[in-house]
Amino acid sequence: MTPSSLPRVALLGLGRMGHPMAARLLAAGFPLTLWNRRAGRGDDLVVRGARRAKTPADAVYDAEIVLTMLADPAALESVLTAPDGVLKTLRRSALLIDCSTVGPAAARAMAELCAARGASYVDAPVLGSVPAAEQGTLTVLVGGAPADVERARTVLAHV
C-alpha cells in the first residue's frame, strides 16, 4: 500500500501499550487521529503529525479503522456508548479493532453494538510487553469474520 492509499485510523487509549502502537502506525504513514482519557498523552505524536481528538466521537468520525487499547471492559463500554462516544459517529463501513483484553462476553457485546451501527468488529487482544509494542513484535490474537480479520491485518501488521 502506498501512503496515499492507507486507511484513516483512529487509536483510542494512549497508555503504556497504546502509545507505542500509535507511534508505529504514524511511522508507517497512516493518517492517524488519537484520543486519550487523560489530556497531554501523545503530545509527541501530535508534533509528528497525528491529529488529537477531544472526544471519542471526534476521533472516529472519519476513520476507516478504529483501534481501541483500553484498560478493561468498563472502559471499553464507556468509550463506545457515552454521549460523546464512538458509536455517536462511527461510520457504517468502519472496522473497530479492539486490542484491549476484555474477555468473550464483552467482545460479543461490543460486536453487537458495532453491528447495530453497520460497522464491523474484531477482537484482537495482544500478547507482549511495552518493549514488544515499541519493537512491533506483539502477538495479536484476532477473532472475527474472515473478511474483517483480513482487513484488520493491514493495520495490525504495523503494531
Side-chain angles (χ1 to χ4, degrees):
M1 288 188 157
T2 64
S4 63
S5 67
L6 293 174
R8 288 181 308 279
V9 175
L11 193 144
L12 291 77
L14 297 173
R16 293 174 40 127
M17 298 294 282
H19 184 279
M21 291 168 69
R24 293 189 56 76
L25 290 171
L26 190 60
F30 285 90
L32 186 63
T33 300
L34 308 170
W35 177 83
N36 193 69
R37 198 175 299 262
R38 279 192 238 127
R41 291 255 177 132
D43 286 347
D44 60 315
L45 301 173
V46 172
V47 168
R48 291 172 31 208
R51 181 178 79 85
R52 182 189 315 278
K54 292 182 180 180
T55 67
D58 177 42
V60 306
Y61 79 91
D62 69 344
E64 298 166 77
I65 297 183
V66 176
L67 278 93
T68 54
M69 179 51 98
L70 302 166
D72 54 37
L76 178 61
E77 183 177 4
S78 174
V79 166
L80 264 66
T81 64
D84 63 353
V86 167
L87 294 176
K88 181 177 180 181
T89 60
L90 185 66
R91 295 166 49 144
R92 289 193 162 289
S93 59
L95 171 63
L96 191 143
I97 303 170
D98 179 32
C99 295
S100 316
T101 303
V102 297
R108 279 192 295 275
M110 297 306 109
E112 288 173 11
L113 290 172
C114 289
R117 287 269 316 164
S120 299
Y121 174 95
V122 296
D123 185 29
V126 300
L127 298 174
S129 60
V130 173
E134 292 169 347
Q135 297 164 10
T137 58
L138 291 169
T139 298
V140 186
L141 306 173
V142 186
D148 297 333
V149 170
E150 258 325 291
R151 189 171 164 205
R153 286 181 201 265
T154 63
V155 171
L156 294 175
H158 299 279
V159 298

